[in-house]
Amino acid sequence: YSSFASNPIALKALAYVLQANGDYKKAHEINREVFIHRPNYAQSYMDLANSYRDLDENKSAASLYTRYDYLVRQGFLKSDSTAINTIIDREFNNLLALKGNEIISKNSSKHVMQEDFNGTRLVFEWNDGEADFELQFVNPEGHFFTFKHSLMENADRIADEKRMGFSCEEFLIDNSLDGNWQVNLKYLGNKQVTPSYLKAVIYTNYGTPSQQKNTKIFKMDLKGVNKQLFKVSSKILQ
């Protein structure tokens, strides 16, 4: 990847592909490179911590989250976004709740709390903050909700992402409705010439000892077409 080693947008896309293919060691090396390029981005901390977790290096993951929390509290990193704070807090708490017996840290204890959600958790990340797109979630009854990521529809959100340095969103699907949810994507374009990629991390049985994780990656190229990405169930599997 030497040809784009200094391009964090391209590096993030490569990390997505490696993660989807289960090559967590190489993905971790790429995420470390992105961290070096973007040391003040909230996303860099989360991605690197999660890649440590993929390698079962849970103490290193917890240490990185603790470091991020310290830098935010000391004012060295910006933290005024409910979106990224909620996601990072949930990631850290999930790590501690499931792997806390491996992690010895007095600083971490205050983050451990009972997970208030069980079901299917979807985390979407995109490699380029300039990408405009819509994610549509269709429930088993055919009703839908749309997350709009574009300057025209959500300028405040885009400004928040650039200020904080993040490009992700989570969606929680509880088990109140039986059946499958469908997730669709409509790509609207990008000011940059670099290809845009979307990563979807699907957690089933979230917050339980039987939690499972599945990573999918999609290239955002065909503009204006609402295409199906995947379907998920909200059931808690025993």
Side-chain angles (χ1 to χ4, degrees):
Y1 62 90
S2 59
S3 60
F4 51 84
S6 61
N7 184 340
I9 294 174
L11 288 173
K12 282 170 68 70
L14 177 57
Y16 292 173
V17 173
L18 292 168
Q19 288 167 333
N21 291 335
D23 195 340
Y24 299 126
K25 185 174 181 179
K26 286 185 179 178
H28 177 72
E29 293 173 0
I30 300 300
N31 279 319
R32 195 163 51 192
E33 287 293 321
V34 175
F35 186 94
I36 292 171
H37 288 295
R38 293 175 165 179
N40 297 320
Y41 278 43
Q43 188 80 41
S44 297
Y45 283 85
M46 189 176 83
D47 290 348
L48 188 57
N50 285 346
S51 70
Y52 271 122
R53 191 172 177 181
D54 285 336
L55 296 173
D56 289 324
E57 296 184 22
N58 297 310
K59 286 185 179 180
S60 295
S63 294
L64 197 59
Y65 276 128
T66 301
R67 179 181 169 191
Y68 173 79
D69 182 63
Y70 171 80
L71 292 173
V72 167
R73 285 188 286 107
Q74 295 298 315
F76 294 113
L77 290 178
K78 296 176 183 177
S79 179
D80 57 356
S81 168
T82 302
I84 188 61
N85 286 349
T86 299
I87 295 173
I88 286 181
D89 285 347
R90 195 185 305 278
E91 293 281 356
F92 193 13
N93 185 64
N94 181 257
L95 168 64
L96 294 171
L98 298 184
K99 301 293 183 178
N101 60 325
E102 302 175 21
I103 303 164
I104 302 172
S105 174
K106 294 180 180 178
N107 293 331
S108 300
S109 60
K110 69 184 181 66
H111 289 272
V112 182
M113 62 188 76
Q114 183 65 37
E115 177 59 57
D116 60 356
F117 169 77
N118 296 124
T120 299
R121 178 181 182 233
L122 307 178
V123 181
F124 293 89
E125 301 177 30
W126 44 97
N127 69 318
D128 192 344
E130 299 292 345
D132 288 349
F133 59 89
E134 294 179 356
L135 286 171
Q136 183 185 67
F137 303 86
V138 186
N139 73 14
E141 296 180 344
H143 301 136
F144 65 88
F145 159 77
T146 303
F147 169 70
K148 298 182 179 182
H149 185 270
S150 67
L151 191 60
M152 180 178 294
E153 296 285 349
N154 210 341
D156 289 344
R157 163 71 187 228
I158 302 298
D160 203 22
E161 291 177 359
K162 290 182 177 180
R163 183 170 60 252
M164 289 281 297
F166 72 98
S167 51
C168 62
E169 186 57 275
E170 71 170 356
F171 300 91
L172 307 179
I173 302 175
D174 62 27
N175 56 4
S176 58
L177 287 177
D178 288 333
N180 291 324
W181 286 68
Q182 181 172 311
V183 181
N184 302 323
L185 168 70
K186 181 188 288 186
Y187 178 53
L188 303 175
N190 190 332
K191 302 183 189 71
Q192 308 295 329
V193 295
T194 311
S196 300
Y197 289 86
L198 180 74
K199 182 176 77 170
V201 184
I202 305 166
Y203 296 91
T204 53
N205 290 13
Y206 189 77
T208 73
S210 57
Q211 175 176 303
Q212 295 291 322
K213 173 182 175 182
N214 182 24
T215 301
K216 298 178 180 291
I217 180 172
F218 306 94
K219 186 175 183 179
M220 296 191 281
D221 48 9
L222 194 59
K223 292 172 62 174
V225 177
N226 196 39
K227 65 178 182 179
Q228 179 182 320
L229 297 184
F230 55 85
K231 290 184 178 181
V232 294
S233 171
S234 60
K235 286 185 177 180
I236 299 291
L237 304 176
Q238 302 300 324

